[in-house]
Amino acid sequence: MAYTLMIGGRRFHGLRGNVHMHTPLSDGTKDHKELGATAAEAGLDFIVVTDHNVYQPGLDGWTGDTLVLVGQEIHDPERYPQSSHTLCFAIQEDVAAHGADPGAVMDAVAAQGGFTFLAHPFERDVAEFLPEPNISWRDWDVEGYAGIELWNYMSEFKSVLKNKAHAVLYAYAPDLAITGPYPETLRRWDELLLERRVAVLGGSDAHGTVYHIGPLSRTVQPYNYLFRCVNTHLLTEEPLNGSLEHDKAVVYESLRMGRGFVGYERPGQVAGFNFWARSGDNEATMGETLALRDRVELRVSVPDRARLRLLRNGQLVAQAVDSYLVSISHVPGVYRLEAYRQHAGRERGWIFSNPIYVE
Protein backbone atom coordinates (compact mmCIF):
# COMPACT_ATOMS: atom_id res chain seq x y z
CA MET A 1 0.00 0.00 0.00
CA ALA A 2 0.96 3.68 -0.07
CA TYR A 3 4.15 4.63 1.74
CA THR A 4 6.10 7.80 2.39
CA LEU A 5 9.76 8.61 1.95
CA MET A 6 12.08 11.57 2.14
CA ILE A 7 13.98 12.38 -1.03
CA GLY A 8 16.54 14.98 -0.19
CA GLY A 9 14.61 17.64 1.69
CA ARG A 10 11.21 16.72 0.23
CA ARG A 11 8.54 14.29 1.36
CA PHE A 12 6.90 12.05 -1.24
CA HIS A 13 4.07 9.55 -1.21
CA GLY A 14 4.89 6.25 -2.91
CA LEU A 15 2.10 4.51 -4.83
CA ARG A 16 2.38 0.90 -5.94
CA GLY A 17 0.37 0.09 -9.03
CA ASN A 18 -0.13 -2.26 -11.95
CA VAL A 19 -0.60 -0.93 -15.45
CA HIS A 20 -1.77 -2.62 -18.68
CA MET A 21 -4.38 -5.35 -18.26
CA HIS A 22 -7.53 -6.61 -19.92
CA THR A 23 -11.11 -7.53 -19.05
CA PRO A 24 -13.81 -9.51 -20.91
CA LEU A 25 -14.55 -6.30 -22.84
CA SER A 26 -11.58 -7.38 -24.98
CA ASP A 27 -9.63 -10.55 -24.21
CA GLY A 28 -9.36 -10.72 -20.43
CA THR A 29 -11.23 -12.87 -17.94
CA LYS A 30 -12.05 -10.60 -14.94
CA ASP A 31 -14.19 -7.46 -15.02
CA HIS A 32 -13.23 -4.10 -13.52
CA LYS A 33 -14.74 -4.74 -10.10
CA GLU A 34 -13.10 -8.16 -9.88
CA LEU A 35 -9.76 -6.66 -10.91
CA GLY A 36 -10.13 -3.96 -8.28
CA ALA A 37 -10.82 -6.55 -5.59
CA THR A 38 -7.87 -8.69 -6.72
CA ALA A 39 -5.60 -5.64 -6.76
CA ALA A 40 -6.77 -4.64 -3.28
CA GLU A 41 -5.87 -8.12 -2.02
CA ALA A 42 -2.41 -7.66 -3.55
CA GLY A 43 -1.98 -4.34 -1.74
CA LEU A 44 -1.95 -2.17 -4.87
CA ASP A 45 -2.83 1.51 -4.64
CA PHE A 46 -3.95 1.78 -8.25
CA ILE A 47 -4.45 -0.17 -11.46
CA VAL A 48 -5.05 1.00 -15.02
CA VAL A 49 -7.21 -1.23 -17.24
CA THR A 50 -6.39 -0.95 -20.97
CA ASP A 51 -8.75 -3.06 -23.06
CA HIS A 52 -8.01 -3.52 -26.75
CA ASN A 53 -9.86 -0.91 -28.85
CA VAL A 54 -12.63 -0.65 -26.24
CA TYR A 55 -13.32 2.25 -23.91
CA GLN A 56 -16.29 2.18 -21.56
CA PRO A 57 -16.66 5.40 -19.54
CA GLY A 58 -17.90 5.55 -15.99
CA LEU A 59 -15.82 2.64 -14.67
CA ASP A 60 -13.15 4.68 -12.86
CA GLY A 61 -13.51 4.40 -9.11
CA TRP A 62 -12.34 2.91 -5.85
CA THR A 63 -12.52 -0.75 -4.86
CA GLY A 64 -11.52 -0.87 -1.23
CA ASP A 65 -8.21 0.97 -1.02
CA THR A 66 -7.38 0.50 -4.71
CA LEU A 67 -8.06 3.15 -7.35
CA VAL A 68 -9.26 1.56 -10.61
CA LEU A 69 -8.59 3.71 -13.68
CA VAL A 70 -9.64 2.99 -17.25
CA GLY A 71 -7.52 3.66 -20.33
CA GLN A 72 -7.29 1.92 -23.68
CA GLU A 73 -4.84 -0.07 -25.80
CA ILE A 74 -5.22 0.90 -29.45
CA HIS A 75 -4.06 -0.97 -32.55
CA ASP A 76 -5.16 -1.55 -36.11
CA PRO A 77 -6.74 -5.05 -36.19
CA GLU A 78 -6.45 -5.11 -40.00
CA ARG A 79 -2.71 -4.56 -40.00
CA TYR A 80 -0.45 -7.46 -40.91
CA PRO A 81 1.87 -8.25 -39.36
CA GLN A 82 0.21 -6.99 -36.21
CA SER A 83 2.20 -4.21 -34.50
CA SER A 84 2.35 -0.78 -32.87
CA HIS A 85 -0.03 -0.96 -29.92
CA THR A 86 -0.55 2.34 -28.08
CA LEU A 87 -1.48 2.63 -24.40
CA CYS A 88 -3.80 5.60 -23.86
CA PHE A 89 -4.23 7.25 -20.46
CA ALA A 90 -6.40 10.02 -18.97
CA ILE A 91 -8.94 9.80 -21.78
CA GLN A 92 -12.67 10.55 -21.69
CA GLU A 93 -13.67 9.21 -25.11
CA ASP A 94 -12.96 6.20 -27.30
CA VAL A 95 -10.07 6.77 -29.74
CA ALA A 96 -10.21 3.39 -31.50
CA ALA A 97 -11.45 5.01 -34.73
CA HIS A 98 -7.90 6.35 -35.23
CA GLY A 99 -6.26 2.93 -34.84
CA ALA A 100 -4.89 2.73 -38.38
CA ASP A 101 -2.59 5.73 -37.70
CA PRO A 102 -0.58 5.71 -34.42
CA GLY A 103 0.19 9.40 -34.81
CA ALA A 104 -3.50 10.20 -35.11
CA VAL A 105 -4.19 8.13 -31.99
CA MET A 106 -1.66 10.20 -30.06
CA ASP A 107 -3.14 13.44 -31.36
CA ALA A 108 -6.67 12.36 -30.44
CA VAL A 109 -5.57 11.42 -26.92
CA ALA A 110 -3.67 14.69 -26.48
CA ALA A 111 -6.76 16.63 -27.61
CA GLN A 112 -8.57 15.14 -24.60
CA GLY A 113 -5.78 16.15 -22.25
CA GLY A 114 -4.44 12.59 -22.10
CA PHE A 115 -1.12 10.99 -22.98
CA THR A 116 0.24 7.82 -24.55
CA PHE A 117 2.93 5.17 -24.04
CA LEU A 118 4.19 2.65 -26.58
CA ALA A 119 3.12 -0.85 -25.54
CA HIS A 120 5.68 -3.70 -25.64
CA PRO A 121 7.95 -1.83 -28.11
CA PHE A 122 10.11 -4.90 -28.70
CA GLU A 123 8.75 -8.42 -28.77
CA ARG A 124 10.27 -11.67 -29.97
CA ASP A 125 8.93 -14.43 -32.15
CA VAL A 126 7.46 -17.27 -30.14
CA ALA A 127 7.16 -21.02 -30.68
CA GLU A 128 4.78 -22.15 -33.41
CA PHE A 129 2.45 -23.94 -30.99
CA LEU A 130 1.59 -20.59 -29.34
CA PRO A 131 -1.04 -18.45 -31.10
CA GLU A 132 0.83 -15.27 -30.16
CA PRO A 133 2.02 -12.85 -32.87
CA ASN A 134 5.06 -10.61 -32.55
CA ILE A 135 3.43 -7.22 -31.89
CA SER A 136 6.50 -4.99 -31.63
CA TRP A 137 6.30 -1.26 -32.23
CA ARG A 138 7.14 -0.46 -35.87
CA ASP A 139 6.24 3.22 -36.30
CA TRP A 140 9.28 4.88 -34.77
CA ASP A 141 8.82 8.04 -36.85
CA VAL A 142 5.94 9.24 -34.65
CA GLU A 143 6.87 11.46 -31.71
CA GLY A 144 3.73 12.31 -29.78
CA TYR A 145 4.09 9.80 -26.95
CA ALA A 146 5.09 10.46 -23.33
CA GLY A 147 6.90 7.19 -22.80
CA ILE A 148 7.36 3.50 -23.49
CA GLU A 149 6.55 0.27 -21.70
CA LEU A 150 10.05 -0.71 -20.65
CA TRP A 151 9.14 -4.12 -19.26
CA ASN A 152 6.11 -6.12 -20.37
CA TYR A 153 5.90 -9.24 -18.23
CA MET A 154 3.79 -11.35 -20.59
CA SER A 155 5.88 -10.42 -23.63
CA GLU A 156 8.95 -11.76 -21.88
CA PHE A 157 7.16 -14.81 -20.51
CA LYS A 158 5.79 -16.04 -23.82
CA SER A 159 9.16 -15.49 -25.53
CA VAL A 160 10.90 -18.13 -23.37
CA LEU A 161 8.39 -20.91 -24.12
CA LYS A 162 10.49 -22.59 -26.79
CA ASN A 163 8.62 -25.88 -26.65
CA LYS A 164 5.76 -27.55 -24.79
CA ALA A 165 8.07 -28.85 -22.08
CA HIS A 166 9.14 -25.25 -21.38
CA ALA A 167 5.51 -24.18 -21.37
CA VAL A 168 4.63 -26.70 -18.68
CA LEU A 169 7.74 -25.94 -16.60
CA TYR A 170 7.32 -22.17 -16.64
CA ALA A 171 3.56 -22.32 -16.15
CA TYR A 172 4.25 -23.92 -12.77
CA ALA A 173 7.57 -22.18 -12.02
CA PRO A 174 7.32 -18.72 -13.66
CA ASP A 175 10.14 -17.25 -11.58
CA LEU A 176 12.58 -19.27 -13.67
CA ALA A 177 11.49 -17.47 -16.83
CA ILE A 178 11.63 -13.77 -15.98
CA THR A 179 14.97 -11.91 -16.12
CA GLY A 180 14.31 -8.27 -17.03
CA PRO A 181 13.61 -5.75 -19.79
CA TYR A 182 14.89 -6.69 -23.21
CA PRO A 183 18.35 -5.19 -23.92
CA GLU A 184 17.01 -3.81 -27.20
CA THR A 185 14.30 -1.92 -25.32
CA LEU A 186 16.85 -0.41 -22.94
CA ARG A 187 19.07 0.59 -25.88
CA ARG A 188 16.22 2.25 -27.78
CA TRP A 189 15.11 4.09 -24.65
CA ASP A 190 18.63 5.49 -24.18
CA GLU A 191 18.67 6.57 -27.82
CA LEU A 192 15.34 8.35 -27.43
CA LEU A 193 16.52 10.06 -24.25
CA LEU A 194 19.32 11.73 -26.19
CA GLU A 195 16.60 13.55 -28.11
CA ARG A 196 13.85 14.28 -25.57
CA ARG A 197 12.17 13.26 -22.32
CA VAL A 198 10.75 9.72 -22.45
CA ALA A 199 9.21 8.14 -19.35
CA VAL A 200 8.87 4.41 -18.72
CA LEU A 201 6.41 2.10 -17.02
CA GLY A 202 6.26 -1.61 -16.33
CA GLY A 203 3.21 -3.53 -17.49
CA SER A 204 1.82 -6.91 -16.57
CA ASP A 205 -0.33 -7.25 -19.72
CA ALA A 206 -2.55 -9.50 -17.61
CA HIS A 207 -5.35 -11.49 -19.24
CA GLY A 208 -5.95 -14.42 -16.88
CA THR A 209 -6.13 -16.81 -19.83
CA VAL A 210 -6.58 -20.55 -19.32
CA TYR A 211 -4.25 -22.60 -21.53
CA HIS A 212 -4.48 -26.28 -22.40
CA ILE A 213 -1.68 -28.69 -23.32
CA GLY A 214 -2.91 -32.23 -23.66
CA PRO A 215 -4.69 -33.18 -20.41
CA LEU A 216 -3.20 -30.19 -18.55
CA SER A 217 -5.28 -27.06 -18.06
CA ARG A 218 -4.09 -24.02 -16.12
CA THR A 219 -4.61 -20.29 -15.76
CA VAL A 220 -1.14 -19.14 -16.78
CA GLN A 221 -0.04 -16.02 -14.93
CA PRO A 222 -3.31 -15.19 -13.13
CA TYR A 223 -4.03 -11.60 -12.19
CA ASN A 224 -3.38 -12.13 -8.49
CA TYR A 225 0.11 -13.41 -9.29
CA LEU A 226 1.00 -10.74 -11.85
CA PHE A 227 -0.09 -8.00 -9.45
CA ARG A 228 2.86 -9.06 -7.29
CA CYS A 229 5.45 -9.15 -10.06
CA VAL A 230 6.34 -6.22 -12.37
CA ASN A 231 4.73 -3.08 -10.95
CA THR A 232 5.01 0.64 -11.57
CA HIS A 233 5.79 2.74 -8.49
CA LEU A 234 4.92 6.42 -8.59
CA LEU A 235 6.07 9.25 -6.35
CA THR A 236 3.52 11.98 -5.70
CA GLU A 237 3.74 15.21 -3.77
CA GLU A 238 0.10 14.97 -2.70
CA PRO A 239 -1.44 11.90 -1.08
CA LEU A 240 -4.51 10.23 -2.50
CA ASN A 241 -7.53 11.48 -0.55
CA GLY A 242 -10.44 9.42 -1.87
CA SER A 243 -11.72 12.10 -4.26
CA LEU A 244 -11.85 10.43 -7.67
CA GLU A 245 -10.97 13.42 -9.85
CA HIS A 246 -8.20 14.56 -7.52
CA ASP A 247 -6.68 11.10 -7.26
CA LYS A 248 -6.86 10.44 -11.00
CA ALA A 249 -4.98 13.67 -11.63
CA VAL A 250 -2.33 12.82 -9.02
CA VAL A 251 -1.66 9.35 -10.46
CA TYR A 252 -1.67 10.45 -14.08
CA GLU A 253 0.61 13.45 -13.48
CA SER A 254 3.35 11.25 -12.02
CA LEU A 255 2.87 8.54 -14.65
CA ARG A 256 3.09 11.07 -17.49
CA MET A 257 6.24 12.78 -16.22
CA GLY A 258 7.96 9.57 -15.13
CA ARG A 259 8.22 10.40 -11.47
CA GLY A 260 8.80 6.84 -10.32
CA PHE A 261 10.28 3.51 -11.31
CA VAL A 262 9.64 -0.02 -12.49
CA GLY A 263 10.13 -2.80 -9.95
CA TYR A 264 10.05 -6.59 -10.20
CA GLU A 265 8.90 -7.62 -6.74
CA ARG A 266 9.69 -11.34 -6.79
CA PRO A 267 13.42 -10.85 -5.93
CA GLY A 268 12.43 -8.60 -3.02
CA GLN A 269 10.24 -5.66 -2.09
CA VAL A 270 11.09 -2.46 -3.93
CA ALA A 271 9.04 0.10 -1.98
CA GLY A 272 11.39 2.68 -0.54
CA PHE A 273 13.79 2.79 -3.49
CA ASN A 274 15.31 6.24 -3.58
CA PHE A 275 17.17 8.00 -6.41
CA TRP A 276 17.77 11.74 -6.32
CA ALA A 277 20.32 14.39 -7.18
CA ARG A 278 21.53 17.70 -5.75
CA SER A 279 23.38 20.54 -7.41
CA GLY A 280 23.96 23.64 -5.32
CA ASP A 281 20.72 24.35 -3.48
CA ASN A 282 18.61 22.50 -6.07
CA GLU A 283 17.30 18.94 -5.77
CA ALA A 284 15.53 16.62 -8.20
CA THR A 285 14.28 13.08 -8.30
CA MET A 286 13.10 10.74 -11.05
CA GLY A 287 11.22 12.45 -13.86
CA GLU A 288 12.51 15.89 -12.89
CA THR A 289 15.04 18.34 -14.34
CA LEU A 290 18.00 19.64 -12.33
CA ALA A 291 19.99 22.75 -13.21
CA LEU A 292 23.71 21.96 -13.02
CA ARG A 293 25.71 24.23 -10.70
CA ASP A 294 29.37 23.19 -11.05
CA ARG A 295 28.76 19.62 -9.84
CA VAL A 296 25.93 17.19 -9.23
CA GLU A 297 25.73 14.63 -6.43
CA LEU A 298 23.61 11.58 -7.27
CA ARG A 299 22.37 9.34 -4.47
CA VAL A 300 20.83 5.86 -4.67
CA SER A 301 19.32 3.79 -1.89
CA VAL A 302 17.68 0.39 -2.39
CA PRO A 303 15.81 -1.75 0.17
CA ASP A 304 18.42 -4.52 0.06
CA ARG A 305 21.86 -5.31 -1.32
CA ALA A 306 21.97 -5.44 -5.12
CA ARG A 307 24.17 -4.82 -8.13
CA LEU A 308 23.66 -1.13 -8.88
CA ARG A 309 24.42 0.52 -12.22
CA LEU A 310 24.26 4.29 -12.70
CA LEU A 311 24.11 5.36 -16.34
CA ARG A 312 24.47 8.73 -18.05
CA ASN A 313 23.22 8.97 -21.62
CA GLY A 314 23.18 5.17 -21.73
CA GLN A 315 26.78 4.75 -20.59
CA LEU A 316 27.84 3.26 -17.26
CA VAL A 317 29.37 5.92 -14.97
CA ALA A 318 29.26 4.25 -11.53
CA GLN A 319 28.45 0.86 -10.06
CA ALA A 320 28.44 -0.97 -6.75
CA VAL A 321 27.24 -4.16 -5.11
CA ASP A 322 25.59 -2.61 -2.11
CA SER A 323 22.37 -1.01 -0.88
CA TYR A 324 23.79 2.51 -1.43
CA LEU A 325 25.60 4.34 -4.17
CA VAL A 326 26.83 7.95 -4.27
CA SER A 327 28.35 9.46 -7.39
CA ILE A 328 29.70 12.94 -8.13
CA SER A 329 29.62 14.33 -11.64
CA HIS A 330 30.38 17.61 -13.36
CA VAL A 331 28.68 16.64 -16.61
CA PRO A 332 25.09 17.30 -17.70
CA GLY A 333 23.10 14.40 -19.10
CA VAL A 334 20.29 11.94 -18.56
CA TYR A 335 20.97 9.81 -15.47
CA ARG A 336 19.11 6.61 -14.65
CA LEU A 337 19.61 3.66 -12.31
CA GLU A 338 19.37 -0.10 -12.78
CA ALA A 339 19.45 -2.65 -9.94
CA TYR A 340 19.83 -6.43 -10.25
CA ARG A 341 19.42 -9.15 -7.62
CA GLN A 342 19.88 -12.89 -7.35
CA HIS A 343 16.58 -14.78 -7.40
CA ALA A 344 15.58 -18.31 -8.40
CA GLY A 345 19.13 -19.32 -9.22
CA ARG A 346 20.33 -16.37 -11.30
CA GLU A 347 20.55 -12.61 -11.48
CA ARG A 348 17.28 -10.87 -12.34
CA GLY A 349 16.36 -7.32 -13.15
CA TRP A 350 14.92 -5.71 -10.03
CA ILE A 351 14.56 -1.92 -10.26
CA PHE A 352 14.72 0.44 -13.25
CA SER A 353 14.36 4.12 -12.50
CA ASN A 354 13.00 6.87 -14.64
CA PRO A 355 15.70 9.44 -15.43
CA ILE A 356 16.88 12.56 -13.74
CA TYR A 357 17.57 15.19 -16.41
CA VAL A 358 20.64 17.26 -15.48
CA GLU A 359 21.03 20.35 -17.67
Side-chain angles (χ1 to χ4, degrees):
M1 302 303 290
Y3 54 95
T4 60
L5 71 163
M6 294 299 298
I7 298 182
R10 293 186 293 165
R11 180 185 181 91
F12 284 91
H13 303 272
L15 303 179
R16 177 172 168 262
N18 197 277
V19 180
H20 190 171
M21 66 195 68
H22 304 279
T23 77
L25 290 178
S26 58
D27 55 353
T29 55
K30 282 191 176 184
D31 64 26
H32 295 73
K33 289 185 177 180
E34 292 172 317
L35 289 179
T38 301
E41 291 174 0
L44 297 182
D45 299 294
F46 69 93
I47 60 172
V48 186
V49 179
T50 52
D51 275 309
H52 295 286
N53 294 334
V54 177
Y55 177 73
Q56 187 167 321
L59 295 177
D60 291 332
W62 285 89
T63 299
D65 292 327
T66 300
L67 177 62
V68 178
L69 299 176
V70 180
Q72 199 170 15
E73 182 178 0
I74 299 298
H75 69 283
D76 179 3
E78 303 300 320
R79 184 170 181 173
Y80 184 83
Q82 190 52 242
S83 60
S84 296
H85 289 210
T86 307
L87 296 172
C88 306
F89 301 109
I91 57 176
Q92 288 80 48
E93 298 177 0
D94 191 339
V95 294
H98 304 281
D101 181 350
V105 170
M106 295 171 189
D107 290 343
V109 171
Q112 299 181 37
F115 58 98
T116 54
F117 275 62
L118 310 187
H120 34 68
F122 288 91
E123 289 214 324
R124 294 175 180 173
D125 294 337
V126 302
E128 292 184 0
F129 72 92
L130 290 173
E132 299 284 349
N134 181 324
I135 46 178
S136 298
W137 186 266
R138 295 187 174 90
D139 294 271
W140 289 104
D141 55 324
V142 300
E143 298 180 347
Y145 51 92
I148 65 173
E149 187 176 43
L150 182 71
W151 193 349
N152 181 295
Y153 184 104
M154 289 304 296
S155 289
E156 182 182 6
F157 181 78
K158 69 185 183 182
S159 74
V160 302
L161 309 182
K162 302 304 183 185
N163 51 53
K164 292 184 178 180
H166 280 164
V168 173
L169 171 64
Y170 295 138
Y172 287 88
D175 281 11
L176 299 178
I178 302 302
T179 60
Y182 291 148
E184 53 266 43
T185 308
L186 289 165
R187 283 195 299 270
R188 179 55 63 91
W189 182 33
D190 285 327
E191 292 169 359
L192 294 170
L193 286 170
L194 294 175
E195 302 172 4
R196 65 181 183 90
R197 294 175 60 104
V198 180
V200 293
L201 59 80
S204 64
D205 210 348
H207 293 74
T209 306
V210 178
Y211 287 91
H212 308 275
I213 295 181
L216 298 176
S217 178
R218 184 175 178 84
T219 302
V220 177
Q221 311 292 14
Y223 296 99
N224 61 357
Y225 178 78
L226 290 178
F227 288 174
R228 294 172 169 87
C229 292
V230 175
N231 282 319
T232 298
H233 286 243
L234 301 178
L235 303 178
T236 68
E237 295 183 290
E238 295 183 56
L240 303 186
N241 64 14
S243 169
L244 179 59
E245 292 307 312
H246 170 272
D247 294 345
K248 284 172 63 174
V250 166
V251 168
Y252 280 142
E253 177 192 14
S254 287
L255 185 62
R256 182 203 300 256
M257 72 181 295
R259 187 189 281 150
F261 61 93
V262 177
Y264 177 39
E265 301 183 0
R266 296 294 294 171
Q269 67 132 359
V270 301
F273 166 66
N274 198 326
F275 175 41
W276 62 284
R278 175 189 290 135
S279 186
D281 295 330
N282 300 321
E283 295 177 350
T285 188
M286 295 165 281
E288 297 181 341
T289 300
L290 180 68
L292 179 61
R293 298 289 184 265
D294 182 41
R295 73 174 210 163
V296 57
E297 177 183 295
L298 298 114
R299 290 186 167 270
V300 177
S301 174
V302 294
D304 209 336
R305 187 178 177 86
R307 183 167 69 92
L308 307 176
R309 303 179 76 244
L310 179 66
L311 298 99
R312 181 185 68 241
N313 298 342
Q315 302 299 312
L316 182 68
V317 293
Q319 59 184 327
V321 179
D322 206 334
S323 56
Y324 298 93
L325 185 152
V326 178
S327 180
I328 304 297
S329 176
H330 300 270
V331 182
V334 180
Y335 291 82
R336 64 178 185 86
L337 190 284
E338 300 176 354
Y340 297 83
R341 288 197 77 196
Q342 290 290 322
H343 175 66
R346 63 176 294 185
E347 188 177 74
R348 316 278 173 174
W350 187 34
I351 296 171
F352 296 83
S353 80
N354 269 286
I356 299 173
Y357 304 86
V358 179
E359 299 179 347

